[in-house]
Structure formats: C-alpha cells, structure tokens
Amino acid sequence: MEFLFQYKKKSGQQVKYFLKEQDISKGLLAKIKFQGGDIVVNGKRENVLYELVENDHVCVVIPDEKEHETLLVDDTPIDIVYEDDHLLVVNKPAKVASIPAQYHPNHTMANRVKGYYKRQNYKNQIVHVVTRLDRDTSGLMLFAKHGYAHAKLDKQLREKTLIKTYQALLSGEMANLKEHDRITLPIARDLPSILKRKVAEDGKFADTEYWVDEKTASLALVHIRLHTGRTHQIRVHFSAIGFPLVGDDLYGGQMDLPLKRQALHCCELSFIHPFTNEHLKFQQSLPKDMEVIQKIFAKR
C-alpha cells in the first residue's frame, strides 16, 4: 500500500524524522526496510537518512501484512456498518467476545473479521482491533485494516478525539440520580477474581460522563461517554454510585427483566478519518434484545 506526502518545510529534515511526524513508527519503518517496503523521494529510492528539501514528494510503500496463523478463522457473517481501504466498522452482537482469550479462543469478533478478510482475499490479513467491547455488550466496534491506520487511530484514542458513546439501562432509586454528572472514581481489580473490578483508592483514575434520557421511579435510560477506558468501567462506576446496569449479575443489577445480559450498547463512534481528515460519525440503534427498554418507557 502506498502513501504520498509532500514536504513543505523551508528547512531540511531527514526522512525518518519527517515520517515520524506522519505517525510512522520505528517498528513500521523496520517493516518497510526488511519486509518488502520502500521509500521513494521524487521518483528515486532513498533511505531514512536522506535530507528532504521544500516541495519534495515522498512515497512510502508499506508491505502487505501476512495473517497471524494463531488466530483461528470463523466464517460467521459480520454486520458491516462502514468499510473502506483503511477502516472497518462493525455491529457486534451480544454474547460474542471482542478478542480470543483462554476460555474463548475462537468465535470472537476478531476471528469473524479474519474469516471475512480471508473470503475477500485482502492483501492485508492481520486483524487490528481499535475499540473493544465486553462480551455481553453490543454495538459498534472499529477495526483498522493495516498497521499504519491502527497507529493513527490509537493516537486519536490517546488524544481523546475518538469518542465512543453508549446507552445503558440503570436500576435503582432514580429520584437520587442526577440528570447529568461525571463519575471519577478510581478502579482496581477485585482480587482474587481475575474478572471483577471495584472502586478502590489505589486504583487507576477513571472518568465516566452521563446524561439521563428517560427515567421512571426505578429505571433510567442514559447516554454515556467514556473519558478513560478501564475494564468494566461503566458497570463498576454505576454500581458504585447505587445504579447498577439492568441484567448485570456481576455488579448487582436488576435481574427480573427479560434481558439476559447487561443492558449496555455502544450506539455511536465519532472520529477523524486518519487519511482523508473527514469527520466520521456512525450510529447504531438498540438491538432487538434491548427493545424491552423502549417498551418500558412507552408504557409510562
């Protein structure tokens, strides 16, 4: 895959420093050098020490990525929301993990995306997961289709310009729930469990912002924006302030509604396209198993 740049500075700069400014890492430069890539300046092959001058044209050829053989193939179809040469946005169903782990080495979204790449015979076969969701959380997931796109999207995650918005159904005494607030409680592992998390003074900083959309005396539908990305952050934070998610048996949620998992859905992804600079926003309505939420509020 080729990427074209024009050097616009009046002072000179070595190729390696210019490419670093384009988010091409040392690791990616090594792949370009040793795995069949190339750097071409004004039509002539050059190395990373070449000194650029104003208006030089730089072409970077990034080698194709061969598959990770340890990642198994799952041919289950995926629900594609958006796709281009660099990005893939999919709608993840509940009860499907994002990536393989000890207890689910196959049938995850990563396995399914690999199956899709194989069927499409794409040149780049490595699956780059940019945003993950818990196994029982539904909604939008973002994949990068090559390592360079992954690096640029990770930068947006660090700079908080890639925004994930969730919808959740909370349980509790809703007279005590603020219409809008930020929960900034530190989160740590709840040992000896390898899965559960808890609010703890010695935990890592976590920041969750929410807005109430609708509520009854005992239930509330909220929109949530994460400002950090801790494991189980939404579930832990709302449980800690007395409003656990409906269907979340791990953190004390109400279990008598016809919903067999935590009522959490990633409904929106917003970010800047890493190569076109276009602002992209994708939205996904509630899945069928969460339509019970709409019925609850419609009966009020």
Side-chain angles (χ1 to χ4, degrees):
M1 186 172 286
E2 294 185 357
F3 296 91
L4 303 175
F5 308 95
Q6 185 175 8
Y7 186 74
K8 297 181 179 180
K9 296 180 182 180
K10 294 188 179 299
S11 58
Q13 186 179 37
Q14 287 184 348
V15 166
K16 64 179 180 180
Y17 297 117
F18 173 66
L19 294 183
K20 182 180 179 181
E21 293 173 356
Q22 316 311 314
D23 304 312
I24 294 180
S25 66
K26 289 182 179 179
L28 186 50
L29 279 177
K31 288 182 179 179
I32 292 168
K33 182 176 180 179
F34 297 111
Q35 297 181 23
D38 216 343
I39 297 171
V40 178
V41 181
N42 301 327
K44 183 180 178 182
R45 182 179 295 173
E46 302 288 357
N47 63 33
V48 295
L49 300 179
Y50 181 82
E51 189 86 5
L52 295 170
V53 298
E54 187 177 11
N55 294 323
D56 274 350
H57 291 271
V58 182
C59 174
V60 177
V61 181
I62 296 178
D64 298 334
E65 299 174 330
K66 296 180 180 179
E67 65 177 291
H68 283 146
E69 294 183 358
T70 54
L71 181 65
L72 302 175
V73 171
D74 184 339
D75 285 322
T76 303
I78 56 177
D79 182 3
I80 297 174
V81 176
Y82 174 84
E83 182 178 15
D84 62 21
D85 290 341
H86 311 287
L87 312 175
L88 177 67
V89 180
V90 303
N91 180 32
K92 184 184 91 66
K95 305 294 182 182
V96 179
S98 292
I99 60 173
Q102 180 179 357
Y103 298 110
H104 40 77
N106 199 358
H107 311 302
T108 72
M109 290 307 300
N111 300 110
R112 294 182 181 188
V113 168
K114 180 174 181 176
Y116 172 70
Y117 286 179
K118 297 281 279 188
R119 294 193 299 276
Q120 299 301 115
N121 197 30
Y122 287 150
K123 291 181 178 180
N124 290 305
Q125 288 286 319
I126 291 183
V127 176
H128 295 273
V129 181
V130 180
T131 62
R132 302 180 187 181
L133 297 175
D134 289 348
R135 180 179 181 273
D136 288 342
T137 299
S138 58
L140 296 168
M141 277 186 70
L142 174 61
F143 293 80
K145 293 176 70 176
H146 53 83
Y148 187 25
H150 196 176
K152 293 180 79 69
L153 290 166
D154 272 348
K155 183 179 180 181
Q156 290 192 45
L157 279 172
R158 294 193 302 273
E159 295 176 349
K160 304 185 188 306
T161 55
L162 194 162
I163 299 170
K164 293 195 292 182
T165 304
Y166 294 81
Q167 286 177 286
L169 184 65
L170 312 180
S171 56
E173 296 293 331
M174 292 305 157
N176 300 321
L177 180 67
K178 296 179 180 179
E179 292 297 312
H180 169 242
D181 201 6
R182 288 178 79 150
I183 309 168
T184 54
L185 299 171
I187 293 176
R189 289 182 178 273
D190 191 358
L191 299 174
S193 173
I194 61 172
L195 177 66
K196 195 174 181 182
R197 302 302 196 265
K198 65 179 180 180
V199 167
E201 289 185 3
D202 61 347
K204 294 181 178 179
F205 175 75
D207 185 356
T208 303
E209 186 172 13
Y210 74 87
W211 297 260
V212 174
D213 295 326
E214 298 184 81
K215 66 180 179 180
T216 66
S218 60
L219 296 170
L221 179 64
V222 297
H223 268 74
I224 301 162
R225 182 166 295 171
L226 292 179
H227 297 286
T228 54
R230 309 302 177 201
T231 300
H232 294 182
Q233 179 174 319
I234 291 172
R235 300 162 65 190
V236 173
H237 268 176
F238 281 104
S239 178
I241 65 171
F243 304 102
L245 272 61
V246 167
D248 190 355
D249 57 350
L250 186 62
Y251 294 104
Q254 185 176 330
M255 301 300 295
D256 58 353
L257 292 178
L259 188 63
K260 304 303 181 184
R261 48 106 174 184
Q262 71 254 13
L264 185 59
H265 176 71
C266 184
C267 62
E268 184 177 292
L269 280 177
S270 174
F271 56 94
I272 304 300
H273 193 289
F275 301 105
T276 69
N277 291 321
E278 178 186 4
H279 180 260
L280 300 177
K281 181 184 286 188
F282 303 102
Q283 296 176 316
Q284 188 68 37
S285 58
L286 292 173
K288 287 186 177 181
D289 71 336
M290 286 183 69
E291 288 179 355
V292 62
I293 294 174
Q294 296 167 328
K295 293 178 183 179
I296 289 169
F297 292 105
K299 291 179 180 178
R300 289 192 305 161

